[in-house]
Amino acid sequence: MPISRLIDMEDFQPIPEREKHEEFLRKVMEILFESVVFKARSDKVVLWQTPEKLKEMFDFSLMQSGETHEKLLLLLKKTIKYSVKTGHPYFINQLFSGLDPYGLAGQWLTDALNASVYTYEVAPVFTLMEDALIREACKMIGPMWQDGIFCPGGSTANGIAINLARFNKFPEVKKTGCFKLPPLKVFTSEECHYSISKFSSFVGIGDENVELIETDNIGQMKIENLLKKIEETIQEGNIPLVVVATLGTTVRGAFDPINEIADICKKHNMWLHIDAAWGGGLIFSPKHRAKLNGIERANSIVINPHKLLAVPQQCSLLLIKDKDILHSCHSKEAEYLFQKDKHYDRKYDHGDKYLQCGRKCDVFKFWFMWKAKGSAGFANHIDALMEVAEYLEEQIHKRAEFMMVSKRQYMNVCFWYIPRYLRGKSHILDYATQLHKVAPQIKAIMVTHGSVMLNYQPLQDLPNFFRFVSQNSGLGKKDIDYILDHISEIGDMLFE
Amino acid sequence: MPISRLIDMEDFQPIPEREKHEEFLRKVMEILFESVVFKARSDKVVLWQTPEKLKEMFDFSLMQSGETHEKLLLLLKKTIKYSVKTGHPYFINQLFSGLDPYGLAGQWLTDALNASVYTYEVAPVFTLMEDALIREACKMIGPMWQDGIFCPGGSTANGIAINLARFNKFPEVKKTGCFKLPPLKVFTSEECHYSISKFSSFVGIGDENVELIETDNIGQMKIENLLKKIEETIQEGNIPLVVVATLGTTVRGAFDPINEIADICKKHNMWLHIDAAWGGGLIFSPKHRAKLNGIERANSIVINPHKLLAVPQQCSLLLIKDKDILHSCHSKEAEYLFQKDKHYDRKYDHGDKYLQCGRKCDVFKFWFMWKAKGSAGFANHIDALMEVAEYLEEQIHKRAEFMMVSKRQYMNVCFWYIPRYLRGKSHILDYATQLHKVAPQIKAIMVTHGSVMLNYQPLQDLPNFFRFVSQNSGLGKKDIDYILDHISEIGDMLFE
């Protein structure tokens, strides 16, 4: 066989400028180690600049000719300097925070291999790794669970689930679209994630066909209201298609009553999708797993390991009970990619199960973290976070200047800081209007000082409140005291 | 102000196990430098194992307890060992190949900062960088171009464009869905990417409403057939919505006649979307830019810098002529994320323009490469690749054992290897059937030996042929000779 000739490539040109490039990349790594990866606490969360100011300070321009390595390294440092340190324990602004070293190692490897995961042929290890991880995740949900895909975020995963629900009931829509169907209705909590509405518009269902179900005083979907709306839908001659239940709502961290919802879905022959993007990580914690009871009764579930489990951005897993529907709903059998005369078993080519074609590998970082920590490691992470959340709730109750918005169910602790002049005055006419202005002002000071990034928002008729989410394993009880003191001090200063 | 206290965190716990983690990450980096980043040519493209064998050889299992660093590093090495080396110049299997050191540096930084790009607040630098880059890219298209978003791949970008076209004509679909509309028709070349059909199903239009327009003998859309199908659509009472033209088709690298298509779209008041995922990178080359003539007449264009420009996976840019439609079509104004009482100008929060919520930062790697090389650097890269493609085409013409499938227009060189016993026998009855079996067998040998990964596929009634795509700047004319010799040798061996 003459083929071995090709493998020894010594007589071909070496990688051009290898030394120069290696030296550069090593400098980049040193900067990352020094200024990002292990910097965390000793830095501000953000060195705040207004957009207008930052535009003046930073050379964003793109030119005809390139820059020197020296200039490039400066730009890199400046990018780091003015970026938010999302690994910092005081980055409490979103549903992710922290930087896991194994996850980061996984990302760096993924980048170096620069794979696109559509066929076994071009991504053999990652393909089997996805199989193994999805199988394991399914097993944690229940014995009937059989399939899954990685998605570019929980929003897309929710959208795909809604389309699967439609395909399940009306397989012809894949061909004909939904022009000839009566309106299909999506039922979800009024505290659901906005992607339900966004993707209902995108898939051609329309957001007015998303029926928002009332929630109770801790944010859970009210079953009687769900029942009522489904019955109204049927009476109107429309089709109740799917209930999207949430386990861990974005703002309050509420858990919808899955078993009761599953009964209703069964009765009305509706798809049950569970948006557990935020709450789903609890499958790893024997101590808190009960919050997900009934999850196995769903048809599809989204879990974002990049949220609770601190896997790097992005890692979003859509799990499906049915073994075949992903393929039958999405496949198009493109002949240039999924050739029928391959030299290996085509069942390992999962690309056609996906909506995407080229797809960044999101499995390795998660698989590698899991391998490094074990399921027990994720459980410890979760249990420690929950203790911090409990402690925070206690402190809020203890301190006169703070008030809980509603009872905590998860990592989300939603509370108001009440300025001295408003304490005990909830009966006065413009109490809510006054309170509404408080959190944004405190936040503005924290962010411009770079001390803490903590989210606030209104909810229905509730005025602006802080949402504290414990999710960074670097955050301890001492930090809680510190941050509450900090808010108090700013409040005293602002509203005295 | 008491706030400065919070910034000095010396009295808090240090990062747990920092030394251990740093040591580990440094070892990971050494492995990446040694075994991936600068390995390229001296390795096989792939150390091929069947799925069944690889499953036996690799410990994919996920357990209750974690593994030691020693074991983790072994797993990392094994992942590299059995993964495809997509940076290798002989990885010619897809529309991406190569590993740019600046792009890689950009990815590594992106990972370390672990940002999600939805608001200025959490991603100030990346937000303004996206603005600057999208503005610059728009300028390269034409003076009327004003907006854009990054997408998780060209497929999604095509889907978003189809939905924008629908929203543009029927803004009410965002609310009501498309239940009450007559069928909307999407017109595209029969050699288009399969995502047009996939996403037409997904958005509720249905793939039977995708009208495939015939192509000529080099793969370009036939204008007369497009006109005919549009007229038929109108006569049937259906709505001609959008033409998706392709600049750089997946298999043949064909360029649809944009100006003629634009005239038709104008006449029929149709949206013109251009899928230039593969061809669009040519905007950087003054020498070859003319292939994109007329591109500025479109309403939307997708360009994947991760293809021709060798930006790391994934980087996909959807550019839009209209300044407001992305926001008006996609926005949902979620109050927990896009608060109206922020302490900075909300116009910098671009998240609601996107379909995704959380979103991995894809801009930095591209911006950093552009900064490093300049536009001129991309132009040189493209021009050199085109020379390689020209050289390959010449060699195919010169050699008796090869035959072009159709005239080359771009980086794609589509050719048959003709076994000796079939040369000059195109008149025999089962010529095509015989020829169809050739490429898969040659490819199987190349892949199992790990020498070259080169794609093949059939196209319409054309039997299997090789598609060689020059896109890796490490690939020179000497390599072309080498690879053609290699195919010849295998062919001689197999079909003697």
Side-chain angles (χ1 to χ4, degrees):
Chain A
M1 290 283 297
I3 295 159
S4 54
R5 268 180 53 197
L6 260 183
I7 293 149
D8 177 26
M9 306 245 169
E10 297 304 319
D11 55 332
F12 283 84
Q13 61 191 70
I15 295 176
E17 309 182 286
R18 167 178 175 155
E19 263 177 55
K20 191 183 121 192
H21 287 153
E22 177 160 353
E23 194 198 329
F24 178 74
L25 274 172
R26 287 190 180 275
K27 282 184 185 162
V28 168
M29 289 317 302
E30 288 311 314
I31 294 171
L32 296 185
F33 276 111
E34 255 172 58
S35 324
V36 190
V37 181
F38 294 110
K39 195 70 182 291
R41 260 176 193 278
S42 55
D43 222 341
K44 289 187 175 200
V45 181
V46 60
L47 196 61
W48 176 260
Q49 301 293 344
T50 62
E52 297 75 16
K53 188 81 188 293
L54 188 54
K55 275 199 269 189
E56 281 169 25
M57 294 165 67
F58 198 108
D59 171 19
F60 290 108
S61 70
L62 294 160
M63 315 295 279
Q64 197 53 29
S65 53
E67 302 282 3
T68 61
H69 279 187
E70 208 185 338
K71 173 84 188 282
L72 292 173
L73 293 173
L74 276 175
L75 286 167
L76 208 83
K77 284 181 190 167
K78 225 168 169 177
T79 300
I80 294 167
K81 184 173 175 185
Y82 294 110
S83 284
V84 172
K85 307 305 178 296
T86 65
H88 197 298
Y90 291 8
F91 176 73
I92 320 169
N93 214 62
Q94 316 295 150
L95 298 182
F96 72 97
S97 179
L99 185 64
D100 183 89
Y102 305 103
L104 183 61
Q107 282 277 38
W108 282 350
L109 171 78
T110 302
D111 295 340
L113 285 172
N114 198 35
S116 185
V117 196
Y118 23 47
T119 61
Y120 176 81
E121 180 180 341
V122 298
V125 180
F126 297 141
T127 298
L128 297 182
M129 206 171 259
E130 284 186 349
D131 281 355
L133 191 147
I134 288 169
R135 203 164 43 242
E136 199 57 37
C138 279
K139 221 192 287 176
M140 293 171 83
I141 301 295
M144 306 291 289
W145 287 72
Q146 303 196 63
D147 205 4
I149 52 176
F150 284 84
C151 294
S155 290
T156 308
N158 283 330
I160 290 174
I162 291 169
N163 185 47
L164 289 174
R166 179 171 63 181
F167 177 78
N168 182 59
K169 195 157 226 157
F170 302 101
E172 69 272 22
V173 290
K174 184 179 178 182
K175 274 197 178 174
T176 59
C178 51
F179 303 107
K180 282 160 196 164
L181 295 177
L184 308 176
K185 294 278 181 179
V186 176
F187 299 83
T188 188
S189 142
E190 58 184 343
E191 298 191 32
C192 76
H193 191 258
Y194 71 101
S195 55
I196 310 306
S197 160
K198 191 166 269 203
F199 269 84
S200 291
S201 291
F202 188 65
V203 302
I205 285 177
D207 57 14
E208 76 173 19
N209 291 311
V210 177
E211 294 288 342
L212 294 176
I213 309 302
E214 288 167 17
T215 52
D216 63 17
N217 60 3
I218 57 170
Q220 299 180 330
M221 200 191 280
K222 285 184 185 168
I223 290 299
E224 62 276 24
N225 193 247
L226 173 62
L227 274 171
K228 182 169 157 260
K229 293 224 167 148
I230 291 177
E231 273 153 27
E232 281 169 10
T233 292
I234 295 170
Q235 279 163 16
E236 288 160 2
N238 298 327
I239 313 272
L241 182 69
V242 51
V243 178
V244 179
T246 314
L247 291 176
T249 58
T250 309
V251 176
R252 291 208 266 189
F255 287 70
D256 286 334
I258 295 300
N259 274 309
E260 289 164 86
I261 295 171
D263 289 341
I264 294 171
C265 287
K266 197 178 167 191
K267 184 180 157 200
H268 290 287
N269 194 21
M270 294 171 72
W271 185 276
L272 173 54
H273 172 60
I274 296 184
D275 178 355
W278 169 225
L282 291 175
I283 50 170
F284 282 96
S285 163
K287 195 168 170 189
H288 299 290
R289 171 59 160 92
K291 287 192 182 299
L292 307 179
N293 277 354
I295 196 171
E296 70 284 355
R297 298 181 62 190
N299 300 94
S300 56
I301 302 167
V302 52
I303 298 175
N304 282 7
H306 74 239
K307 291 192 163 82
L308 184 61
L309 305 179
V311 174
Q313 296 282 344
Q314 274 192 315
C315 190
S316 179
L317 205 47
L318 178 65
L319 300 174
I320 309 286
K321 191 181 269 166
D322 187 288
K323 190 167 66 71
D324 301 311
I325 195 168
L326 277 169
H327 190 270
S328 49
C329 178
H330 290 155
S331 66
K332 296 289 175 181
E333 310 258 331
E335 280 184 314
Y336 79 94
L337 195 55
F338 309 111
Q339 298 91 338
K340 289 180 175 143
D341 41 16
K342 288 196 174 187
H343 65 290
Y344 60 91
D345 189 340
R346 289 174 72 231
K347 78 172 183 206
Y348 290 98
D349 286 353
H350 298 312
D352 218 13
K353 229 163 59 171
Y354 281 80
L355 205 54
Q356 293 166 273
C357 176
R359 179 166 62 87
K360 174 136 180 136
C361 167
D362 286 331
V363 69
F364 186 73
K365 56 197 170 191
F366 184 24
W367 179 87
F368 198 59
M369 274 178 75
W370 197 338
K371 205 80 185 165
K373 298 160 177 276
S375 307
F378 284 127
N380 294 340
H381 167 78
I382 293 165
D383 298 350
L385 294 179
M386 201 73 101
E387 275 183 36
V388 171
E390 279 164 23
Y391 179 79
L392 172 57
E393 188 183 22
E394 279 166 33
Q395 296 313 304
I396 300 287
H397 283 305
K398 275 186 190 162
R399 298 173 71 145
E401 73 273 34
F402 295 110
M403 185 186 278
M404 290 292 286
V405 171
S406 54
K407 196 169 155 41
R408 182 191 66 81
Q409 299 165 81
Y410 186 38
M411 306 296 180
N412 310 42
V413 179
C414 294
F415 64 89
W416 287 288
Y417 166 81
I418 319 275
R420 208 174 288 273
Y421 80 98
L422 280 177
R423 285 175 209 161
K425 303 276 172 58
S426 61
H427 56 279
I428 66 171
L429 201 63
D430 63 345
Y431 179 82
T433 317
Q434 293 292 324
L435 192 55
H436 191 66
K437 292 175 190 159
V438 172
Q441 291 184 67
I442 294 178
K443 168 151 186 174
I445 290 186
M446 293 195 292
V447 172
T448 49
H449 282 77
S451 53
V452 177
M453 286 189 74
L454 176 62
N455 207 33
Y456 74 82
Q457 65 286 300
L459 185 72
Q460 295 148 7
D461 53 356
L462 298 168
N464 277 325
F465 55 86
F466 288 113
R467 176 197 64 175
F468 192 113
V469 187
S470 54
Q471 58 192 337
N472 187 316
S473 56
L475 194 87
K477 292 178 183 171
K478 201 169 167 185
D479 295 301
I480 296 292
D481 295 338
Y482 212 88
I483 292 170
L484 290 180
D485 288 348
H486 184 54
I487 294 173
S488 257
E489 281 174 316
I490 298 172
D492 276 349
M493 188 193 72
L494 279 173
F495 304 104
E496 205 41 59
Chain B
M1 289 283 293
I3 296 159
S4 54
R5 270 179 53 196
L6 263 183
I7 292 151
D8 177 25
M9 305 243 169
E10 295 306 317
D11 55 331
F12 283 84
Q13 61 191 73
I15 296 177
E17 309 181 287
R18 167 178 173 154
E19 261 176 57
K20 190 182 123 194
H21 287 153
E22 179 160 350
E23 195 198 329
F24 178 73
L25 274 173
R26 286 190 181 275
K27 281 184 185 162
V28 168
M29 289 316 304
E30 286 312 315
I31 294 172
L32 295 184
F33 276 111
E34 255 172 59
S35 323
V36 190
V37 181
F38 293 110
K39 196 70 182 292
R41 259 175 193 278
S42 53
D43 223 343
K44 290 188 175 200
V45 181
V46 61
L47 197 60
W48 177 260
Q49 302 292 343
T50 63
E52 296 76 16
K53 188 82 187 295
L54 188 55
K55 275 199 266 188
E56 280 168 25
M57 296 167 64
F58 197 109
D59 171 18
F60 290 110
S61 70
L62 294 160
M63 315 295 279
Q64 195 55 29
S65 53
E67 301 282 6
T68 62
H69 279 189
E70 209 185 339
K71 173 84 189 281
L72 291 172
L73 293 173
L74 276 176
L75 286 166
L76 207 83
K77 284 182 189 165
K78 224 168 170 176
T79 300
I80 295 167
K81 185 173 176 185
Y82 294 110
S83 283
V84 171
K85 307 305 180 297
T86 65
H88 197 300
Y90 290 8
F91 176 74
I92 318 168
N93 214 64
Q94 316 294 148
L95 297 182
F96 72 98
S97 179
L99 185 65
D100 184 90
Y102 305 103
L104 183 61
Q107 283 277 39
W108 283 349
L109 171 77
T110 302
D111 295 340
L113 285 172
N114 198 34
S116 184
V117 196
Y118 23 46
T119 62
Y120 176 81
E121 179 179 344
V122 297
V125 180
F126 297 141
T127 298
L128 297 182
M129 208 171 259
E130 284 186 349
D131 280 356
L133 190 147
I134 288 169
R135 202 164 45 241
E136 200 57 36
C138 279
K139 221 192 286 176
M140 292 170 84
I141 301 295
M144 306 292 289
W145 287 73
Q146 305 196 62
D147 205 5
I149 51 176
F150 285 84
C151 295
S155 290
T156 309
N158 283 331
I160 290 174
I162 291 168
N163 184 47
L164 289 174
R166 178 171 63 181
F167 177 78
N168 182 58
K169 196 158 227 159
F170 302 103
E172 68 272 22
V173 290
K174 184 179 178 182
K175 272 198 180 174
T176 59
C178 52
F179 303 108
K180 282 161 196 162
L181 294 177
L184 307 176
K185 294 279 181 179
V186 176
F187 300 82
T188 188
S189 142
E190 57 184 345
E191 298 191 34
C192 75
H193 190 258
Y194 71 100
S195 55
I196 310 306
S197 160
K198 193 165 266 203
F199 269 84
S200 292
S201 291
F202 188 66
V203 302
I205 285 177
D207 58 13
E208 75 173 18
N209 291 312
V210 177
E211 295 288 342
L212 295 177
I213 309 302
E214 288 167 18
T215 52
D216 63 15
N217 60 2
I218 56 169
Q220 299 181 330
M221 200 191 280
K222 284 186 186 166
I223 290 300
E224 62 278 25
N225 192 246
L226 172 63
L227 274 171
K228 183 170 157 260
K229 292 224 167 150
I230 291 176
E231 273 153 27
E232 281 169 11
T233 293
I234 295 170
Q235 278 163 16
E236 289 160 1
N238 298 328
I239 313 273
L241 182 69
V242 53
V243 178
V244 180
T246 314
L247 291 176
T249 57
T250 309
V251 176
R252 292 209 265 189
F255 288 71
D256 286 334
I258 295 300
N259 274 309
E260 290 165 86
I261 295 171
D263 289 341
I264 295 171
C265 287
K266 196 179 167 192
K267 185 181 157 198
H268 290 288
N269 194 21
M270 293 170 74
W271 186 276
L272 173 55
H273 172 62
I274 296 184
D275 178 355
W278 169 224
L282 290 176
I283 49 170
F284 282 96
S285 164
K287 197 168 169 189
H288 299 290
R289 170 59 160 91
K291 287 193 181 299
L292 308 179
N293 276 355
I295 195 171
E296 70 285 356
R297 297 181 62 190
N299 300 95
S300 55
I301 302 166
V302 53
I303 298 174
N304 281 7
H306 73 238
K307 291 192 164 83
L308 184 62
L309 305 178
V311 174
Q313 297 281 345
Q314 278 191 311
C315 190
S316 178
L317 205 47
L318 177 66
L319 300 175
I320 309 287
K321 191 181 270 167
D322 186 290
K323 190 167 65 73
D324 302 311
I325 195 169
L326 276 170
H327 189 269
S328 49
C329 179
H330 291 154
S331 66
K332 296 287 173 183
E333 310 257 331
E335 279 184 316
Y336 80 93
L337 195 55
F338 309 112
Q339 297 92 340
K340 290 182 173 140
D341 41 17
K342 288 195 172 185
H343 65 290
Y344 60 91
D345 190 339
R346 290 173 71 232
K347 79 172 183 207
Y348 291 97
D349 286 353
H350 297 312
D352 219 13
K353 232 165 54 174
Y354 281 80
L355 206 55
Q356 293 165 274
C357 175
R359 179 167 61 87
K360 173 135 179 137
C361 167
D362 287 331
V363 70
F364 187 72
K365 56 196 170 194
F366 183 25
W367 179 87
F368 199 59
M369 274 178 74
W370 197 338
K371 204 79 185 167
K373 298 158 176 277
S375 307
F378 285 126
N380 294 340
H381 167 77
I382 294 165
D383 298 349
L385 295 178
M386 200 73 102
E387 275 182 36
V388 171
E390 279 164 21
Y391 179 78
L392 172 57
E393 187 183 24
E394 280 166 30
Q395 297 312 306
I396 299 287
H397 283 304
K398 275 186 191 163
R399 298 173 71 144
E401 72 273 35
F402 294 110
M403 185 186 278
M404 290 292 287
V405 171
S406 53
K407 197 170 154 41
R408 183 191 66 81
Q409 300 166 78
Y410 187 38
M411 306 296 180
N412 310 42
V413 180
C414 294
F415 64 90
W416 287 289
Y417 167 80
I418 319 274
R420 209 175 287 273
Y421 80 98
L422 280 176
R423 286 176 208 159
K425 302 276 172 58
S426 62
H427 56 280
I428 65 171
L429 202 62
D430 62 345
Y431 179 83
T433 317
Q434 293 293 324
L435 192 54
H436 191 65
K437 293 173 189 160
V438 171
Q441 291 182 66
I442 294 178
K443 169 151 186 174
I445 290 187
M446 294 195 293
V447 172
T448 48
H449 281 78
S451 53
V452 176
M453 286 189 75
L454 176 62
N455 207 34
Y456 75 83
Q457 64 286 301
L459 184 73
Q460 295 148 8
D461 53 356
L462 298 168
N464 278 324
F465 55 87
F466 288 114
R467 176 198 64 176
F468 191 113
V469 187
S470 55
Q471 57 192 337
N472 188 316
S473 56
L475 193 87
K477 292 179 184 172
K478 202 167 167 187
D479 295 301
I480 297 293
D481 295 337
Y482 213 86
I483 292 170
L484 290 180
D485 287 348
H486 183 53
I487 295 173
S488 258
E489 280 173 316
I490 298 172
D492 275 348
M493 189 191 71
L494 280 174
F495 306 103
E496 206 40 58

